[in-house]
Amino acid sequence: MARFKYIVLSRAHPGREEEFAEWYASQHLGDVARMPGVVGAQLVRPDFQRVYEIDAPQWTLLTQYELEGDNPEAIIDSIKAASGTEAMPMSDALTKAGMIQAAGHVIAEIG
């Protein structure tokens, strides 16, 4: 089976950043990591952000998931289907405005 990186740049509603980070670290990261096809997860709080030539928000968190399967989109679709259910409760501190999700396979690596 192929391995993929799934990166999510997300942010909180203004003034709710700590609440959002706490929910993500203590609830959401584990919920997603238990989904079929997800084999690892890391949560990062950006210390520096620079965006070139687009009007982009300042993201609160960056998440990197390791996926394993034939098709990353199918795994991500199953995560989306579970989102907001009892198996994966959401936080209203999250805003999806400006959220970025991308998945792909590693083509070069050093270190």
Side-chain angles (χ1 to χ4, degrees):
M1 277 196 215
R3 288 257 176 150
F4 301 93
K5 301 290 185 184
Y6 172 40
I7 307 298
V8 180
L9 294 168
S10 58
R11 64 190 187 123
H13 286 288
R16 300 185 68 189
E17 292 83 4
E18 289 307 315
E19 174 189 352
F20 175 61
E22 173 61 29
W23 163 79
Y24 214 120
S26 66
Q27 175 77 48
H28 191 62
L29 194 67
D31 289 345
V32 175
R34 285 188 287 279
M35 294 293 295
V38 180
V39 295
Q42 292 180 317
L43 183 61
V44 176
R45 185 186 308 260
D47 294 315
F48 173 79
Q49 298 179 52
R50 180 178 292 150
V51 177
Y52 294 92
E53 299 184 25
I54 62 170
D55 185 23
Q58 290 292 301
W59 292 283
T60 307
L61 298 172
L62 179 156
T63 314
Q64 177 177 291
Y65 297 100
E66 184 87 13
L67 307 180
E68 186 175 80
D70 297 325
N71 178 357
E73 189 174 4
I75 298 167
I76 294 164
D77 286 348
S78 71
I79 294 167
K80 183 179 177 184
S83 179
T85 68
E86 202 172 284
M88 193 179 295
M90 297 305 291
S91 168
D92 65 356
L94 165 70
T95 177
K96 290 190 177 181
M99 179 185 280
I100 295 176
Q101 299 179 352
H105 61 278
V106 175
I107 60 169
E109 188 170 6
I110 298 174

